[in-house]
């Protein structure tokens, strides 16, 4: 305390001068509109700069999460490429983006995403000019999103998996039993898996993936995990709740998957009818 008193005594003239200067500046700003406007403008400039700086810092800090997602996705893509090279005769160039594949992948930005209605859709910033067409699968690095329903030159409408008209072929990864993925209109992050027979060994935490029988989604794309289930004794099928890997309320960018062999497969498939 004595040191503070000694400091005030030693610099009393300087402190008194600064107080008078501050008071005079305050009175000048308050009594003159020109000076007041200049002060407010300068304050806004400083505040705006601070907000910009804070936003830049926030965006920079978020890069870690984005990079982590990209790393996980690249790891999965690398694994698929190595697996494909090891187990079939498809020619793949690992160090380039060109390789023989039955699928073509496009990317697009989500500009509108509904998830609070019974029948929900997404709008994408990309359309026919970007080679996107109807009945293509839409996914993210986390899981499935929906199916392209309609396109214009520059935009695409996607039938979300959170839609009463959506029915997607999926299977239990562990047991290989197939079912149909639908939505009951309640939780946007929980969908229902139906028509899984009672002989299937269903357990909480089991992984659900695409079945690959619809010619839209490749087999093995992640969907979610079994959250709850019960056996419907009337028709001998399970009713299963699936917790989605995707957060359907927060989707920024998506991938659109085109099966290059779809038309040929459909022609052969229709011969059985």
């Amino acid at each position: 305390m004595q040191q503070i008193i000694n400091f005030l005594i030693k610099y009393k003239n300087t402190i008194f001068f600064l107080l008078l200067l501050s008071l005079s500046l305050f009175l000048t700003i308050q009594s003159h509109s020109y000076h007041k406007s200049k002060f407010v403008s300068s304050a806004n400039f400083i505040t705006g700069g601070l907000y910009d700086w804070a936003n830049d810092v926030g965006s920079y800090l978020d890069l870690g999460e984005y990079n982590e997602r990209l790393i996980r996705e690249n790891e999965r893509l690398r694994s698929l490429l190595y697996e494909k090279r090891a187990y079939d005769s498809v020619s793949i160039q690992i160090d380039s983006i060109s390789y023989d594949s039955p699928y073509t992948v496009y990317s697009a930005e989500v500009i509108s995403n509904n998830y609070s209605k019974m029948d929900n859709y997404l709008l994408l910033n990309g359309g026919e000019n970007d080679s996107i067409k109807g009945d293509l699968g839409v996914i993210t690095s986390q899981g499935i999103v929906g199916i392209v329903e309609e396109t214009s030159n520059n935009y695409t409408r996607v039938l979300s998996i959170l839609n009463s008209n959506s029915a997607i072929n999926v299977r239990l990864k562990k047991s290989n039993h197939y079912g149909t993925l639908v939505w009951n209109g309640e939780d946007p992050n929980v969908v229902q898996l139906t028509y899984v027979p009672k002989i299937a060994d269903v357990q909480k935490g089991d992984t659900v993936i695409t079945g690959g029988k619809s010619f839209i989604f490749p087999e093995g794309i992640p969907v979610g995990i079994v959250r709850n289930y019960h056996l419907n004794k009337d028709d001998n099928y399970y009713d299963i709740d699936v917790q989605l890997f995707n957060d359907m309320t927060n989707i920024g960018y998506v991938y659109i998957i085109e099966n290059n062999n779809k038309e040929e497969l459909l022609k052969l498939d229709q011969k059985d009818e």
Side-chain angles (χ1 to χ4, degrees):
M1 186 65 182
Q2 185 62 41
Q3 291 180 348
I4 296 175
I5 295 174
N6 291 336
F7 176 82
L8 293 175
I9 294 174
K10 182 177 180 180
Y11 295 101
K12 61 181 184 298
N13 292 331
T14 302
I15 295 173
F16 183 66
F17 169 76
L18 292 175
L19 288 175
L20 290 177
L21 178 61
S22 300
L23 180 61
S24 62
L25 289 174
F26 174 77
L27 293 174
T28 301
I29 292 171
Q30 290 296 320
S31 59
H32 295 80
S33 58
Y34 174 78
H35 295 87
K36 187 175 182 178
S37 64
K38 288 296 183 181
F39 175 78
V40 172
S41 177
S42 299
N44 288 338
F45 174 78
I46 295 173
T47 304
L50 290 174
Y51 279 130
D52 287 340
W53 177 82
N55 182 66
D56 290 342
V57 171
S59 299
Y60 177 78
L61 294 176
D62 287 338
L63 287 177
E65 180 182 353
Y66 299 147
N67 287 335
E68 185 178 352
R69 290 182 182 180
L70 289 174
I71 289 172
R72 288 199 302 267
E73 183 175 356
N74 286 331
E75 287 177 347
R76 184 171 184 275
L77 291 173
R78 288 277 184 172
S79 298
L80 290 174
L81 291 176
Y82 289 135
E83 180 180 355
K84 200 171 185 65
R85 184 174 64 174
Y87 291 104
D88 63 28
S89 60
V90 176
S91 174
I92 300 175
Q93 306 230 347
I94 297 299
D95 293 327
S96 72
I97 62 173
S98 63
Y99 56 89
D100 296 333
S101 172
Y103 296 98
T104 300
V105 179
Y106 311 99
S107 62
E109 181 181 6
V110 176
I111 58 177
S112 177
N113 177 24
N114 302 126
Y115 49 82
S116 59
K117 305 175 184 177
M118 189 65 188
D119 296 321
N120 296 291
Y121 298 88
L122 301 92
L123 290 180
L124 310 182
N125 188 14
E128 295 170 6
N129 291 339
D130 305 289
S131 300
I132 301 174
K133 60 189 73 171
D135 292 328
L136 302 186
V138 182
I139 67 171
T140 70
S141 60
Q142 305 298 311
I144 64 173
V145 172
I147 298 175
V148 172
E149 182 184 67
E150 188 177 353
T151 60
S152 63
N153 288 337
N154 300 300
Y155 300 99
T156 295
R157 181 178 179 176
V158 177
L159 180 76
S160 172
I161 57 174
L162 306 180
N163 191 300
S164 63
N165 296 311
S166 175
I168 297 174
N169 172 260
V170 297
R171 68 176 175 90
L172 295 169
K173 184 177 181 180
K174 182 178 69 174
S175 68
N176 289 327
H177 285 92
Y178 289 85
T180 301
L181 199 72
V182 297
W183 189 52
N184 62 10
E186 296 179 4
D187 189 336
N189 288 308
V190 178
V191 294
Q192 286 64 52
L193 176 55
T194 60
Y195 298 115
V196 175
K198 69 176 183 179
I199 61 173
D201 180 20
V202 182
Q203 300 292 334
K204 288 185 179 181
D206 285 351
T207 301
V208 179
I209 60 177
T210 53
K213 293 185 178 296
S214 66
F215 307 145
I216 294 178
F217 292 102
E219 183 179 7
I221 294 179
V223 176
I225 60 173
V226 174
R227 179 177 177 180
N228 292 300
Y229 65 93
H230 72 273
L231 183 63
N232 190 333
K233 296 181 180 179
D234 294 333
D235 55 13
N236 294 323
Y237 291 103
Y238 281 104
D239 291 325
I240 303 173
D241 285 335
V242 178
Q243 179 75 44
L244 294 171
F245 288 133
N246 256 334
D247 180 359
M248 291 297 294
T249 68
N250 183 22
I251 299 177
Y253 287 85
V254 294
Y255 299 106
I256 300 97
I257 304 176
E258 180 179 6
N259 186 344
N260 298 322
N261 300 324
K262 182 180 176 181
E263 296 300 326
E264 182 178 355
L265 291 168
L266 286 174
K267 288 181 181 178
L268 291 175
D269 189 57
Q270 289 171 356
K271 288 184 177 181
D272 295 332
E273 296 180 357

